[in-house]
Amino acid sequence: MTRKTRRLWLVIICVACFGTAAALMLRAFSSDIVFFVTPSQLTQNAQPADRTVKLGGMVVANSVKREKHGDTPVSSFEVTDGQSAVTVNYEGVLPDLFREGQSVVAIGSMKNGIFIASEVLAKHDETYMPKEVAEALKKSGKWDPRFGPPPDAASWNSMTVKDAKKSLLPPPAPAAQ
Amino acid sequence: MFLHSVCETNKPLSASHSSASRLSSFFHRYANPGRFLRLGKVLQPWLTWPAIALTLTGLIWGLFFSPADWQQGDSVRIMYIHVPTAILASAGYAALALCSVLSLVWRHPLADLAAAEIGPVGACITALCLATGSLWGKPMWGAWWVWDARLTSVLILFFLYLGHITLIRAFDDQQRGYRAAAILAIAGAVDLPIIKFSVQWWNTLHQPDSITLTSAPTMSGSMLWPLALSMLGISLGFAAIVLARLRASVMESRIRSLLSNQRRHNGDLS
Amino acid sequence: MTHLPFIIASYGLFIALALYLSAGAALRLRTARLKLLSLEPAKPSSPGKKSVS
């Protein structure tokens, strides 16, 4: 074995050892690395009332109620992961991306079965599409953004804005008299 | 004319070359500084001009002609900078780790110089990735910064770059600095798969990748094209800047050895 | 445009950094080349001739 191959093996063994150590550490701490807990995790494991948690999930369609107390907007909505839902109360301005069907992360704590949020973050998904394409998908009935993520990307990612606009036009009217 | 003068001297950059020169390895073909400078001079315009042209096309297309996103609006245009810099931050570090392996195992003298030049450029790109991410996060998520797995692992990458930059210049004995920095770079490469898979392994605020090898991109073609152009252009720009710095670095080490030869010569005379 | 300041800041940062890095690299290359030329003036290349004086 030449010195060069010995050094190569040394590097490989060091990387393997270091990688294993890092992987074990990340596994051990994985519950701390997650950014948020889901509603079902939150309802299963009762949290102490004063503990701050981050609750993540999808805003349930038709659950958003907005009011105004003086100058501060107050809102209430339900967050779900498909298995259970938690009601969230929040005092303050919601982010622009907040809507029904959007994923959000609320930071706060549980009080009497209701999640009192001190901060709400919007989590946008990995889909990027022009407004016209989204409109066309909605109009064709393939997708309602209030109920979840868009359909399979292959069905729309080659659609151009022109195609989408065409499909949005009203069907050609019968010839005027 | 200048190149001839450099090429005549076939002295390798490092003293440890004598054992390595026996290996007619591919990597060592360009350990000869003259040959590297000749190749670099030819390569430079082929990297620089396409980089400028593609980056400008991609960014102008992205900024003015690509459609706005249906929910993010015009803010999505930050993507045409953020995504290429994010990919380059990782790719640059991978290049740094590769140079470090070449340096530690094969004792390649150019690999040390390359690692020293990739470090600062990579750190700048990573800083830009973090800054544009922050500028994108504030209007969209509602926060400049969150401690989720993706953002934190990229911040760690930034500090790895900073550590490498410091360590490689920390020793009086340059070779020891190269050795120590190479070990740091290789150990830090563990962070690369963590960055890549953080959005799949843990739930994060950062969204998963839109472009994957296994399925159709979840991005409209009208946004994918400008993104692909700016990604290619910025990557070539990164390579062009690193090559220019590396060529300068090779010349500087040549200057140093010439000056010390002169000094020794003058010392002998007196 | 919505959120225009954020977009302008992103593109501005990118352009500033690109100019800084490329100008720095070009200047350094120029300085090194000129310095090397002054130390090691170009000679007619003849094989076997040592260039280090």
Side-chain angles (χ1 to χ4, degrees), chain B:
Chain B
M1 286 210 318
F2 148 74
L3 280 171
H4 286 298
S5 65
V6 178
C7 298
E8 271 181 350
T9 61
N10 286 324
K11 268 195 182 166
L13 286 168
S14 142
S16 62
H17 195 65
S18 53
S19 68
S21 61
R22 271 182 274 124
L23 313 157
S24 59
S25 142
F26 165 79
F27 304 119
H28 276 92
R29 174 169 276 177
Y30 295 104
N32 177 315
R35 199 176 279 158
F36 168 76
L37 286 178
R38 228 179 334 175
L39 179 80
K41 194 177 186 185
V42 174
L43 208 58
Q44 188 77 63
W46 290 98
L47 289 175
T48 308
W49 297 114
I52 294 171
L54 287 173
T55 307
L56 281 180
T57 317
L59 290 188
I60 290 172
W61 188 348
L63 197 51
F64 299 110
F65 301 104
S66 74
D69 184 63
W70 74 280
Q71 55 174 343
Q72 300 192 41
D74 286 309
S75 299
V76 78
R77 300 180 200 284
I78 297 176
M79 171 180 76
Y80 302 115
I81 292 180
H82 178 72
V83 171
T85 53
I87 288 175
L88 265 183
S90 285
Y93 197 87
L96 190 63
L98 184 71
C99 285
S100 302
V101 172
L102 286 181
S103 154
L104 279 186
V105 177
W106 284 277
R107 299 271 192 264
H108 193 295
L110 258 184
D112 289 325
L113 294 182
E117 297 309 327
I118 292 172
V121 185
C124 284
I125 283 279
T126 312
L128 189 64
C129 165
L130 289 168
T132 52
S134 205
L135 286 166
W136 198 3
K138 183 59 187 169
M140 293 298 107
W141 297 340
W144 294 104
W145 180 265
V146 292
W147 292 102
D148 85 345
R150 173 55 79 80
L151 277 69
T152 309
S153 54
V154 176
L155 186 66
I156 291 173
L157 185 76
F158 180 60
F159 285 120
L160 284 171
Y161 271 121
L162 291 189
H164 185 269
I165 294 171
T166 322
L167 199 55
I168 209 166
R169 291 161 179 82
F171 292 86
D172 288 333
D173 177 7
Q174 187 63 73
Q175 290 302 321
R176 288 185 66 180
Y178 288 148
R179 204 70 47 83
I183 291 168
L184 172 78
I186 292 172
V190 171
D191 195 30
L192 293 179
I194 297 177
I195 292 175
K196 173 82 178 81
F197 295 110
S198 56
V199 287
Q200 296 169 25
W201 290 342
W202 304 288
N203 53 36
T204 53
L205 188 63
H206 194 286
Q207 73 279 11
D209 300 335
S210 299
I211 304 162
T212 55
L213 290 177
T214 46
S215 53
T218 56
M219 183 184 290
S220 164
S222 50
M223 301 173 176
L224 203 57
W225 275 108
L227 179 62
L229 284 188
S230 71
M231 207 152 22
L232 193 61
I234 295 175
S235 308
L236 287 177
F238 184 90
I241 288 172
V242 168
L243 178 64
R245 292 174 65 116
L246 186 54
R247 287 168 64 206
S249 167
V250 169
M251 289 181 194
E252 282 158 8
S253 77
R254 180 96 198 98
I255 291 169
R256 268 195 303 278
S257 78
L258 279 176
L259 283 178
S260 71
N261 274 355
Q262 249 173 28
R263 224 170 287 132
R264 207 177 307 138
H265 192 66
N266 294 346
D268 288 345
L269 287 178
S270 61

Side-chain angles (χ1 to χ4, degrees), chain A residues 30-175:
Chain A
S30 63
S31 62
D32 295 310
I33 296 171
V34 293
F35 188 65
F36 54 82
V37 295
T38 57
S40 49
Q41 284 170 333
L42 193 68
T43 45
Q44 271 163 25
N45 320 322
Q47 304 279 340
D50 52 343
R51 192 171 160 205
T52 305
V53 286
K54 301 191 188 80
L55 172 69
M58 203 179 85
V59 180
V60 178
N62 303 321
S63 74
V64 181
K65 296 181 198 76
R66 295 172 196 250
E67 286 172 35
K68 269 210 153 173
H69 288 180
D71 269 350
T72 46
V74 177
S75 49
S76 159
F77 52 89
E78 277 176 42
V79 167
T80 182
D81 59 350
Q83 288 160 27
S84 60
V86 171
T87 308
V88 177
N89 285 355
Y90 175 62
E91 212 171 289
V93 184
L94 289 165
D96 289 2
L97 247 58
F98 183 92
R99 59 174 174 83
E100 291 173 351
Q102 181 73 283
S103 295
V104 295
V105 175
I107 304 167
S109 56
M110 287 299 276
K111 215 171 260 175
N112 304 327
I114 289 181
F115 192 87
I116 311 292
S118 57
E119 202 180 343
V120 173
L121 303 171
K123 171 177 164 45
H124 69 77
D125 57 16
E126 69 273 31
T127 54
Y128 297 86
M129 59 171 85
K131 200 180 180 131
E132 291 81 359
V133 173
E135 291 294 326
L137 284 179
K138 276 188 250 176
K139 198 166 177 232
S140 66
K142 280 185 193 148
W143 177 40
D144 186 341
R146 295 181 305 145
F147 293 102
D152 182 29
S155 69
W156 55 263
N157 66 9
S158 57
M159 191 194 283
T160 64
V161 173
K162 214 188 258 173
D163 295 340
K165 272 188 182 151
K166 211 179 285 167
S167 74
L168 282 176
L169 286 176

